[in-house]
Amino acid sequence: MTQRSSAGRRNLIGLATAACMVPLLASCTSGSSKSATSTTVKAATKPTQIFPGPAGLLAAGPPQANGIMWLLSKAGSAADVSPLDLADGKIGGAVPVSNAADTLTELSTATVVLGTATATTGSVELLNGTSGTVSGTIPVSAPVKAVAAGSDGVTVYALEATPSTEAVAVIDTTTSKVTATIPVSTGTVGLVGSVDGSSVYGVQSNGLVSQYAIAGGQPTARFPIGHSGLAAAISPSGNTLYVLKSNGVTFNIAVVDLATERVVAALPAPANAVGVVISPAGNTLYSLVGTPTLGNVQAYPLSS
């Protein structure tokens, strides 16, 4: 516990730098003609809670109705998933998973989804949301870099990548079948599905976000979010996209009004942030922090 508490203090130091990024934004514009009025979203400049997590934290699923958030961590070559109870801050027993696991999300139907990647192959593994045990494996055509949950509770979007191509595999977990494959821009590093299930957003390392239609797989929009994107979460209303980004030194979260495809605010993020998830009610943003020697989850209340 002492090591984790020290880790939390170190990451709080990183918040001061991140908070300085808040004014940085604001001239990002979209190539589209959308012009609806934007609403500025605010967050506390410091987390109201820091939950200890396992060292080597890589990813987490969104909190479920029971307050459990599943965490994926990797220490050396060994990977584990662990349930974090947000009500009391306690972490349940770690469950070993494939050493090739690199990314995680969770469906609203309480199925934990792991993406695995070796040098040449990848898969999506489905885990029981209570025990963490594997209930099924769905092979895909390339190593998986990111996974995102569909709003219907059964669809998974898996970003699969080779050195020269990237695509999103759309997976129906009820049949364990890939139902569509959508080519995406090289340099895509993160995914999030739209709330209405009609599209998927790809976060790119060059500071762009691209939107792709599920039906037909064509790109429908592209807009800038500042410097390099890492990961994203979408509000339950489907109106706001939160994009974690970093220039390698400082970290912050771009708030994108999807009606206008414009960045309307920047929120703080801690040093060494690796991901971002949002609460089911949309009132708390969680930043995931992970290095080989520490891990934690930091909660930032949201307000308009």
PDB file of all heavy atoms in Angstrom, residues 212-229:
ATOM      1  N   TYR A 212     -16.123   6.794 -39.010  1.00  0.00           N
ATOM      2  CA  TYR A 212     -16.404   5.848 -40.089  1.00  0.00           C
ATOM      3  C   TYR A 212     -17.803   5.274 -39.902  1.00  0.00           C
ATOM      4  O   TYR A 212     -18.185   4.891 -38.789  1.00  0.00           O
ATOM      5  CB  TYR A 212     -15.393   4.690 -40.079  1.00  0.00           C
ATOM      6  CG  TYR A 212     -13.959   5.141 -40.177  1.00  0.00           C
ATOM      7  CD1 TYR A 212     -13.220   5.441 -39.027  1.00  0.00           C
ATOM      8  CD2 TYR A 212     -13.337   5.275 -41.408  1.00  0.00           C
ATOM      9  CE1 TYR A 212     -11.906   5.859 -39.101  1.00  0.00           C
ATOM     10  CE2 TYR A 212     -12.006   5.698 -41.497  1.00  0.00           C
ATOM     11  CZ  TYR A 212     -11.306   5.989 -40.352  1.00  0.00           C
ATOM     12  OH  TYR A 212     -10.002   6.417 -40.436  1.00  0.00           O
ATOM     13  N   ALA A 213     -18.559   5.210 -40.989  1.00  0.00           N
ATOM     14  CA  ALA A 213     -19.891   4.610 -40.937  1.00  0.00           C
ATOM     15  C   ALA A 213     -19.767   3.101 -40.825  1.00  0.00           C
ATOM     16  O   ALA A 213     -18.950   2.481 -41.520  1.00  0.00           O
ATOM     17  CB  ALA A 213     -20.680   4.978 -42.187  1.00  0.00           C
ATOM     18  N   ILE A 214     -20.573   2.485 -39.956  1.00  0.00           N
ATOM     19  CA  ILE A 214     -20.574   1.023 -39.862  1.00  0.00           C
ATOM     20  C   ILE A 214     -21.145   0.423 -41.146  1.00  0.00           C
ATOM     21  O   ILE A 214     -20.602  -0.545 -41.683  1.00  0.00           O
ATOM     22  CB  ILE A 214     -21.395   0.558 -38.637  1.00  0.00           C
ATOM     23  CG1 ILE A 214     -20.812   1.137 -37.347  1.00  0.00           C
ATOM     24  CG2 ILE A 214     -21.441  -0.971 -38.577  1.00  0.00           C
ATOM     25  CD1 ILE A 214     -19.388   0.764 -37.061  1.00  0.00           C
ATOM     26  N   ALA A 215     -22.221   0.981 -41.643  1.00  0.00           N
ATOM     27  CA  ALA A 215     -22.813   0.507 -42.895  1.00  0.00           C
ATOM     28  C   ALA A 215     -22.003   1.056 -44.063  1.00  0.00           C
ATOM     29  O   ALA A 215     -21.995   2.262 -44.305  1.00  0.00           O
ATOM     30  CB  ALA A 215     -24.259   0.972 -43.002  1.00  0.00           C
ATOM     31  N   GLY A 216     -21.299   0.203 -44.748  1.00  0.00           N
ATOM     32  CA  GLY A 216     -20.485   0.625 -45.879  1.00  0.00           C
ATOM     33  C   GLY A 216     -19.044   0.913 -45.547  1.00  0.00           C
ATOM     34  O   GLY A 216     -18.178   0.877 -46.416  1.00  0.00           O
ATOM     35  N   GLY A 217     -18.753   1.251 -44.292  1.00  0.00           N
ATOM     36  CA  GLY A 217     -17.374   1.414 -43.857  1.00  0.00           C
ATOM     37  C   GLY A 217     -16.659   2.639 -44.379  1.00  0.00           C
ATOM     38  O   GLY A 217     -15.426   2.695 -44.342  1.00  0.00           O
ATOM     39  N   GLN A 218     -17.394   3.649 -44.856  1.00  0.00           N
ATOM     40  CA  GLN A 218     -16.745   4.820 -45.419  1.00  0.00           C
ATOM     41  C   GLN A 218     -16.478   5.891 -44.357  1.00  0.00           C
ATOM     42  O   GLN A 218     -17.254   6.050 -43.415  1.00  0.00           O
ATOM     43  CB  GLN A 218     -17.615   5.413 -46.527  1.00  0.00           C
ATOM     44  CG  GLN A 218     -17.809   4.497 -47.718  1.00  0.00           C
ATOM     45  CD  GLN A 218     -16.491   4.131 -48.376  1.00  0.00           C
ATOM     46  OE1 GLN A 218     -15.686   5.009 -48.691  1.00  0.00           O
ATOM     47  NE2 GLN A 218     -16.254   2.838 -48.561  1.00  0.00           N
ATOM     48  N   PRO A 219     -15.373   6.654 -44.510  1.00  0.00           N
ATOM     49  CA  PRO A 219     -15.149   7.775 -43.602  1.00  0.00           C
ATOM     50  C   PRO A 219     -16.184   8.866 -43.852  1.00  0.00           C
ATOM     51  O   PRO A 219     -16.493   9.193 -44.997  1.00  0.00           O
ATOM     52  CB  PRO A 219     -13.740   8.254 -43.959  1.00  0.00           C
ATOM     53  CG  PRO A 219     -13.485   7.749 -45.337  1.00  0.00           C
ATOM     54  CD  PRO A 219     -14.269   6.483 -45.479  1.00  0.00           C
ATOM     55  N   THR A 220     -16.723   9.429 -42.782  1.00  0.00           N
ATOM     56  CA  THR A 220     -17.759  10.460 -42.914  1.00  0.00           C
ATOM     57  C   THR A 220     -17.329  11.803 -42.341  1.00  0.00           C
ATOM     58  O   THR A 220     -17.966  12.814 -42.628  1.00  0.00           O
ATOM     59  CB  THR A 220     -19.048  10.023 -42.202  1.00  0.00           C
ATOM     60  OG1 THR A 220     -18.761   9.766 -40.818  1.00  0.00           O
ATOM     61  CG2 THR A 220     -19.608   8.746 -42.841  1.00  0.00           C
ATOM     62  N   ALA A 221     -16.276  11.839 -41.533  1.00  0.00           N
ATOM     63  CA  ALA A 221     -15.811  13.098 -40.956  1.00  0.00           C
ATOM     64  C   ALA A 221     -14.378  12.920 -40.477  1.00  0.00           C
ATOM     65  O   ALA A 221     -13.923  11.794 -40.207  1.00  0.00           O
ATOM     66  CB  ALA A 221     -16.705  13.530 -39.789  1.00  0.00           C
ATOM     67  N   ARG A 222     -13.680  14.043 -40.382  1.00  0.00           N
ATOM     68  CA  ARG A 222     -12.327  14.055 -39.816  1.00  0.00           C
ATOM     69  C   ARG A 222     -12.098  15.426 -39.212  1.00  0.00           C
ATOM     70  O   ARG A 222     -12.401  16.438 -39.830  1.00  0.00           O
ATOM     71  CB  ARG A 222     -11.287  13.741 -40.886  1.00  0.00           C
ATOM     72  CG  ARG A 222      -9.850  13.710 -40.363  1.00  0.00           C
ATOM     73  CD  ARG A 222      -8.906  13.125 -41.400  1.00  0.00           C
ATOM     74  NE  ARG A 222      -9.162  11.695 -41.569  1.00  0.00           N
ATOM     75  CZ  ARG A 222      -9.214  11.081 -42.737  1.00  0.00           C
ATOM     76  NH1 ARG A 222      -9.067  11.756 -43.852  1.00  0.00           N
ATOM     77  NH2 ARG A 222      -9.442   9.776 -42.797  1.00  0.00           N
ATOM     78  N   PHE A 223     -11.587  15.469 -37.966  1.00  0.00           N
ATOM     79  CA  PHE A 223     -11.385  16.757 -37.315  1.00  0.00           C
ATOM     80  C   PHE A 223     -10.171  16.683 -36.388  1.00  0.00           C
ATOM     81  O   PHE A 223      -9.802  15.618 -35.897  1.00  0.00           O
ATOM     82  CB  PHE A 223     -12.640  17.175 -36.530  1.00  0.00           C
ATOM     83  CG  PHE A 223     -13.224  16.104 -35.642  1.00  0.00           C
ATOM     84  CD1 PHE A 223     -12.770  15.919 -34.350  1.00  0.00           C
ATOM     85  CD2 PHE A 223     -14.242  15.280 -36.108  1.00  0.00           C
ATOM     86  CE1 PHE A 223     -13.307  14.944 -33.535  1.00  0.00           C
ATOM     87  CE2 PHE A 223     -14.792  14.292 -35.299  1.00  0.00           C
ATOM     88  CZ  PHE A 223     -14.317  14.126 -34.010  1.00  0.00           C
ATOM     89  N   PRO A 224      -9.516  17.818 -36.151  1.00  0.00           N
ATOM     90  CA  PRO A 224      -8.314  17.852 -35.303  1.00  0.00           C
ATOM     91  C   PRO A 224      -8.668  17.980 -33.830  1.00  0.00           C
ATOM     92  O   PRO A 224      -9.690  18.561 -33.466  1.00  0.00           O
ATOM     93  CB  PRO A 224      -7.594  19.104 -35.790  1.00  0.00           C
ATOM     94  CG  PRO A 224      -8.698  20.010 -36.232  1.00  0.00           C
ATOM     95  CD  PRO A 224      -9.777  19.114 -36.793  1.00  0.00           C
ATOM     96  N   ILE A 225      -7.780  17.431 -32.990  1.00  0.00           N
ATOM     97  CA  ILE A 225      -7.978  17.566 -31.549  1.00  0.00           C
ATOM     98  C   ILE A 225      -6.716  18.097 -30.857  1.00  0.00           C
ATOM     99  O   ILE A 225      -6.621  18.071 -29.635  1.00  0.00           O
ATOM    100  CB  ILE A 225      -8.431  16.227 -30.911  1.00  0.00           C
ATOM    101  CG1 ILE A 225      -7.622  15.031 -31.388  1.00  0.00           C
ATOM    102  CG2 ILE A 225      -9.895  15.977 -31.217  1.00  0.00           C
ATOM    103  CD1 ILE A 225      -6.357  14.759 -30.670  1.00  0.00           C
ATOM    104  N   GLY A 226      -5.736  18.565 -31.636  1.00  0.00           N
ATOM    105  CA  GLY A 226      -4.500  19.048 -31.041  1.00  0.00           C
ATOM    106  C   GLY A 226      -3.378  18.065 -31.283  1.00  0.00           C
ATOM    107  O   GLY A 226      -3.310  17.432 -32.331  1.00  0.00           O
ATOM    108  N   HIS A 227      -2.495  17.918 -30.299  1.00  0.00           N
ATOM    109  CA  HIS A 227      -1.373  17.000 -30.494  1.00  0.00           C
ATOM    110  C   HIS A 227      -1.812  15.547 -30.339  1.00  0.00           C
ATOM    111  O   HIS A 227      -3.002  15.257 -30.231  1.00  0.00           O
ATOM    112  CB  HIS A 227      -0.223  17.354 -29.549  1.00  0.00           C
ATOM    113  CG  HIS A 227      -0.620  17.471 -28.110  1.00  0.00           C
ATOM    114  ND1 HIS A 227      -0.987  16.411 -27.344  1.00  0.00           N
ATOM    115  CD2 HIS A 227      -0.721  18.559 -27.297  1.00  0.00           C
ATOM    116  CE1 HIS A 227      -1.275  16.803 -26.129  1.00  0.00           C
ATOM    117  NE2 HIS A 227      -1.135  18.116 -26.068  1.00  0.00           N
ATOM    118  N   SER A 228      -0.884  14.645 -30.312  1.00  0.00           N
ATOM    119  CA  SER A 228      -1.113  13.215 -30.490  1.00  0.00           C
ATOM    120  C   SER A 228      -2.205  12.634 -29.596  1.00  0.00           C
ATOM    121  O   SER A 228      -2.168  12.773 -28.374  1.00  0.00           O
ATOM    122  CB  SER A 228       0.190  12.461 -30.216  1.00  0.00           C
ATOM    123  OG  SER A 228       1.208  12.920 -31.081  1.00  0.00           O
ATOM    124  N   GLY A 229      -3.168  11.965 -30.221  1.00  0.00           N
ATOM    125  CA  GLY A 229      -4.220  11.278 -29.486  1.00  0.00           C
ATOM    126  C   GLY A 229      -3.743   9.928 -28.988  1.00  0.00           C
ATOM    127  O   GLY A 229      -2.893   9.277 -29.599  1.00  0.00           O
TER     128      GLY A 229
END
